[in-house]
Amino acid sequence: MSDMGDRQGSDNTTHFGFKTVREDEKAQRVAEVFHSVAAKYDLMNDLMSGGIHRLWKRFTIELSGVRSGNRVLDIAGGTGDLTLKFSRLVGPEGQVVLADINDSMLKVGRDRLLDRGVAGNVTFVQADAEALPFPDNHFDCITIAFGLRNVTHKERAIESMLRVLKPGGRLLVLEFSKPNNPLLSKVYDKYSFNVLPVMGKLITNDSESYRYLAESIRMHPDQETLKAMMEDAGFVRVSYHNMTGGIVALHRGIKP
């Protein structure tokens, strides 16, 4: 499956879930989704995944190779799950930047981390993944967990991440992907389009946002397509690990 969201013709339109919208409209619509769900985001993640998202994130941390003194960028860091772990790994000599384009998510993440006593080595930046406001060759590791599918121009974002990584630095993309079993795929589709919107309605009084999230997962590039996009941007030794039958994949690439 090609990344139609990035290459939807020359009329400056893109995908917002299954809808076609103007490119300048998409960012605002995605922002509205996350403004709506920010307060209950963690609860919904636990309910939607049965808590398995914590295992996916733990594997991401393990594969990151982050150690004391490193500089880490957590893009689309939301409520700060990865940032919390990274802040402990890098220690007082290191630095973690939690970046999110959405102000509501950033505030929830900042409040949550401050409540847990995380302060000294973490900074919070409202930033667009397509145009990261950081110098070249700056970070040892970048993670983006469940955020890339919401980016309008994914190639631009991947190139921007490459630019701000140090040579030898690692990018890890944790994202919903394509199940590798047809039966699992059918079950997953029914769950996504029938159960998620109902759950969203009950927990956040917002079924439409969760319908969008289900649709955005289907429009995201499959494992091989995303691997090729990372290689095209300039990453080397790109690999991916399927988790939970390919429902989620973790891609990893190195800046040469």
Side-chain angles (χ1 to χ4, degrees):
M1 176 179 171
S2 65
D3 184 15
M4 294 176 286
D6 284 13
R7 304 188 184 100
Q8 169 80 11
S10 57
D11 58 350
N12 295 321
T13 59
T14 188
H15 286 285
F16 176 77
F18 291 163
K19 299 184 183 78
T20 298
V21 299
R22 292 195 321 272
E23 284 185 353
D24 57 2
E25 237 185 286
K26 177 169 179 173
Q28 180 57 35
R29 288 194 178 215
V30 170
E32 286 165 5
V33 166
F34 285 95
H35 283 313
S36 173
V37 304
K40 300 278 180 72
Y41 188 75
D42 285 333
L43 174 62
M44 280 298 294
N45 276 350
D46 279 331
L47 291 172
M48 286 189 303
S49 71
I52 297 173
H53 75 100
R54 297 175 189 276
L55 298 178
W56 299 333
K57 289 170 180 171
R58 188 181 304 163
F59 183 61
T60 304
I61 298 281
E62 287 171 4
L63 213 66
S64 72
V66 167
R67 56 187 186 274
S68 179
N70 277 180
R71 198 179 277 151
V72 180
L73 173 60
D74 182 16
I75 300 174
T79 54
D81 285 354
L82 292 176
T83 294
L84 178 64
K85 300 283 196 310
F86 283 136
S87 74
R88 291 168 181 165
L89 284 173
V90 303
E93 303 302 313
Q95 183 197 26
V96 184
V97 177
L98 191 163
D100 204 294
I101 196 170
N102 186 273
D103 183 53
S104 297
M105 292 295 288
L106 204 58
K107 282 176 180 166
V108 170
R110 184 173 58 227
D111 291 348
R112 185 173 176 232
L113 291 172
L114 291 175
D115 286 347
R116 292 186 174 206
V118 174
N121 63 358
V122 175
T123 54
F124 304 89
V125 178
Q126 190 168 0
D128 182 347
E130 293 183 27
L132 293 168
F134 307 107
D136 296 356
N137 309 314
H138 191 66
F139 293 99
D140 298 285
C141 181
I142 295 176
T143 55
I144 178 166
F146 306 114
L148 188 61
R149 72 180 187 278
N150 297 311
V151 174
T152 304
H153 303 102
K154 294 174 183 61
E155 287 103 334
R156 282 186 206 165
I158 294 169
E159 288 165 3
S160 186
M161 294 175 214
L162 182 77
R163 179 186 64 78
V164 302
L165 270 174
K166 294 177 182 176
R170 287 111 26 225
L171 169 64
L172 290 101
V173 181
L174 180 64
E175 189 55 88
F176 291 109
S177 202
K178 301 294 181 285
N180 42 28
N181 177 295
L183 182 60
L184 177 60
S185 195
K186 282 183 182 174
V187 172
Y188 182 46
D189 270 348
K190 285 192 174 174
Y191 172 76
S192 299
F193 291 104
N194 297 319
V195 178
L196 282 192
V198 172
M199 208 184 283
K201 180 70 174 170
L202 290 172
I203 304 297
T204 68
N205 198 31
D206 181 355
S207 60
E208 282 306 306
S209 288
Y210 284 91
R211 186 167 288 111
Y212 159 72
L213 291 176
E215 291 176 1
S216 71
I217 290 166
R218 295 307 174 280
M219 302 310 295
H220 186 67
D222 64 19
Q223 288 91 324
E224 285 293 328
T225 304
L226 181 53
K227 179 175 184 263
M229 289 169 68
M230 290 173 66
E231 289 169 340
D232 289 347
F235 283 95
V236 297
R237 290 160 51 198
V238 179
S239 60
Y240 62 84
H241 299 263
N242 283 326
M243 294 181 277
T244 319
I247 286 174
V248 163
L250 176 62
H251 284 69
R252 183 176 186 262
I254 310 294
K255 178 171 178 174

